[in-house]
Amino acid sequence: MKKIRLIVWTVIVCLLAGTAFLYYIYTDRPFGGKSGQAYIYIDTDDDMDSVQVKLQQVGLSSTLPLKLFNAVSKYEKHIKPGAYAVDLSTRVWEVLRMLRNGRQTPVRVVIPSIRTLDRMVATIDKRIMADSADIMRVLNDTAYIGSLGFTRETLPALFIPNTYEFYWTVSPEAFVKQMHKEYTRFWTKERLQKAEKKGLTAVEVSILASIVEEETAYNPEKPTIAGLYLNRIKKGIPLQADPTVKFGLKAFELRRILNEHLKIDTPYNTYMHRGLPPGPIRIPSIVGIESVLNATEHEYIYMCGKEDFSGSHNFAVTYAEHLRNAARYWKALNERGIK
């Protein structure tokens, strides 16, 4: 009986020693066969097989290391979702321990200056695990965004275009909450004081900035355009901004605004309605926001695109001067057959 026990224990020890030896041989070596960095993305529904596939996709050629690691650490019971940056020269066992311990690497998420929230969300869900439908569900939750001080119309002002770091597993709610923190951080006391001097709130600055940015991509001209619209607001003159009409009609492809478009009543028709529209018509860039906060002081109340289609504008103080500028622009449109 003692002899049998001895044999059993000998076999067990040999197996353990063999496993340890193989574990050392197969895990104490560089993860990949080349230098550089790769990301491993582990989803909530991943299992041992799918994790193995993802490891192989970034350079781990053998299936044995994960099997040995699992035998020692029970990794299959501790699969943690996340994005993991892997230095391909790192030893295999260190990479596997990183996965088991859930030591995620923050991913960089770019909030773009873009026209609509759904387009913004489409760029975000490529960088975090949450899909666009889940993110939009939160953005459409009027009670939740109301608790942050926004309406569905003003919500684009919440997002300040920049590059931010998140964990890949961030929830949609946590993502929006972090964006609110970034918004609060951006709107410093100095910026808020500048806005107040212009008679605007932070959200109203973003609304006006969005119009300025739809009017031109030429940054040096943005403070002048911002000043022009501020002049109109002060004088009680409708903004008459063509981009707001396009936004209200959801007809972003229009290159020429006709009288028939101006007759359609939407809250964004700034020919019909005085003052700012209900919300931003795009997510304005920081440059656009700063152009409003530092708007140029002048007497212009009219502008028209230049007839050379350079993207810049002719400005005017009087309506007669504006009509001359507009005539040249419309002539250029007709000559090019733009309707």
Side-chain angles (χ1 to χ4, degrees), residues 240-246 249 254 256-266 268-273 330:
Q240 296 183 323
D242 290 356
T244 66
V245 176
K246 292 182 186 180
L249 297 175
L254 286 177
R256 191 169 187 169
I257 300 297
L258 304 175
N259 285 331
E260 62 191 69
H261 301 129
L262 303 181
K263 293 177 182 178
I264 301 174
D265 189 359
T266 76
Y268 292 86
N269 187 335
T270 52
Y271 283 79
M272 285 187 172
H273 304 286
W330 281 70

Side-chain angles (χ1 to χ4, degrees), residues 187-207:
W187 282 102
T188 60
K189 182 178 179 180
E190 180 184 2
R191 286 192 171 109
L192 289 173
Q193 286 175 340
K194 286 185 176 182
E196 187 177 4
K197 288 181 180 179
K198 297 286 190 297
L200 302 173
T201 65
V203 168
E204 289 171 335
V205 169
S206 291
I207 294 173

Side-chain angles (χ1 to χ4, degrees), residues 173-232:
E173 290 83 1
F175 168 76
V176 175
K177 187 176 181 179
Q178 183 61 37
M179 285 290 92
H180 186 256
K181 288 182 180 179
E182 298 295 344
Y183 170 87
T184 303
R185 187 177 293 118
F186 174 81
W187 282 102
T188 60
K189 182 178 179 180
E190 180 184 2
R191 286 192 171 109
L192 289 173
Q193 286 175 340
K194 286 185 176 182
E196 187 177 4
K197 288 181 180 179
K198 297 286 190 297
L200 302 173
T201 65
V203 168
E204 289 171 335
V205 169
S206 291
I207 294 173
L208 183 51
S210 72
I211 299 172
V212 171
E213 296 223 281
E214 282 292 297
E215 289 284 12
T216 185
Y218 184 48
N219 286 338
E221 197 175 74
K222 289 177 181 179
T224 303
I225 296 176
L228 182 150
Y229 282 128
L230 286 171
N231 288 343
R232 282 183 162 259

